Amino acid sequence: MRKLLAALAFLVMPAMAVAQDAPCRQTEFDGVAFTLCEVTAGQDLRLFHSDASGRLLGSFGAVDRQLQTEGKALAFAMNAGMYHPDRSPVGLYVEQGREAHGIVLPASKGNFGLLPNGVFCIKQDGFAVIESNEFDRNNPACRFATQSGPMLVIDGKLHPRFIPGGDSRYIRNGVGVSADGRRAIFAISEDSVNFDTLGRLYRDALQMPNALYFDGKVSRLYAPALRRFDLGLPMGPIVGLAVPKP
């Protein structure tokens, strides 16, 4: 069904630019297919939620149309953090240096509250995935930031609550950051996967010391170079790479 929806989306989406340097690739880990999208410091990676009038964007197409007014296009995008039914962020959300929603620290129900959770921060000169309490103590400067949870990898160790072979399996996505903060890799599984496998992908295969879970079940990817245009209900926060429109 997922592949059928992606194929239908390709037929109905309006013509959109395909980045010359495609950031996404396909791989396999532990018998599970993944798509990885990599961004390096200095590229125009952003978070998107609402337009200038405060209306929810909610879709990859809406983000791409907004970027067209700047002469740019999306090279890739995916959902980037959990949201309430009204699509407002569950936790910290910063866009263009402005905090739209504050950080949430207490434990709670659901994956977001499976502590430790964390924040993905897009800095002026790189990226970071930071445990939420550490983020709150140090208050780093982020051009964009989104809080989600649980953390997948914390300083080279898997989240302590992960169960090898666990039976909670969904299409899942997340982000990991290299030790030097110069690379961020976004991953989405093509098959259902548990937390342990996604965490080990980042720790063992990608050598990312810190990684953060974004979501499951609703996880979607936009990757025009791969002819990938996932459909679904409106989303909350979206992360995307803007490139000059050809």
Side-chain angles (χ1 to χ4, degrees):
M1 178 61 72
R2 188 179 184 84
K3 292 181 179 178
L4 175 60
L5 287 174
L8 289 172
F10 175 63
L11 293 175
V12 301
M13 289 288 283
M16 293 186 180
V18 176
Q20 294 91 338
D21 297 322
C24 301
R25 66 186 188 275
Q26 296 170 323
T27 191
E28 185 175 305
F29 174 75
D30 206 18
V32 179
F34 289 91
T35 298
L36 308 178
C37 300
E38 184 167 346
V39 180
T40 57
Q43 292 185 286
D44 190 4
L45 185 71
R46 310 183 198 177
L47 289 167
F48 303 89
H49 184 271
S50 303
D51 65 16
S53 66
R55 291 180 301 182
L56 176 73
L57 292 169
S59 71
F60 303 133
V63 172
D64 190 74
R65 288 190 292 274
Q66 178 170 281
L67 285 173
Q68 287 180 23
T69 65
E70 304 176 28
K72 295 188 175 184
L74 272 179
F76 95 91
M78 65 168 50
N79 56 296
M82 298 174 187
Y83 45 87
H84 294 294
D86 66 357
R87 275 47 184 179
S88 62
V90 170
L92 178 73
Y93 185 77
V94 175
E95 191 171 313
Q96 298 288 9
R98 184 183 68 85
E99 184 178 295
H101 192 283
I103 197 164
V104 175
L105 299 178
S108 61
K109 295 181 179 179
N111 293 327
F112 182 92
L114 186 62
L115 303 184
N117 59 24
V119 175
F120 173 58
C121 170
I122 303 173
K123 303 179 179 181
Q124 195 69 36
D125 58 353
F127 317 102
V129 166
I130 307 169
E131 189 273 328
S132 293
N133 284 288
E134 179 184 348
F135 186 98
D136 189 55
R137 286 191 299 270
N138 297 326
N139 193 28
C142 302
R143 295 177 56 243
F144 299 88
T146 181
Q147 184 183 11
S148 193
M151 290 280 285
L152 296 169
V153 186
I154 311 116
D155 296 331
K157 297 180 180 179
L158 294 181
H159 192 290
R161 298 282 295 279
F162 290 174
I163 302 171
D167 60 4
S168 176
R169 304 176 66 89
Y170 294 101
I171 302 294
R172 301 184 190 271
N173 70 309
V175 60
V177 172
S178 61
D180 63 3
R182 302 290 294 173
R183 296 184 300 129
I185 297 183
F186 301 83
I188 184 169
S189 65
E190 303 305 322
D191 309 304
S192 60
V193 64
N194 59 32
F195 281 123
D196 181 74
T197 300
L198 184 57
R200 288 187 295 106
L201 167 76
Y202 275 110
R203 183 192 66 179
D204 301 340
L206 301 178
Q207 301 289 298
M208 296 282 171
N210 290 285
L212 179 66
Y213 177 63
F214 275 156
D215 216 332
K217 292 189 287 187
V218 303
S219 300
R220 300 206 295 278
L221 175 68
Y222 174 92
L226 299 180
R227 301 293 190 266
R228 178 78 176 266
F229 309 102
D230 292 353
L231 291 172
L233 295 172
M235 296 171 283
I238 294 169
V239 64
L241 177 62
V243 296
K245 188 175 179 180

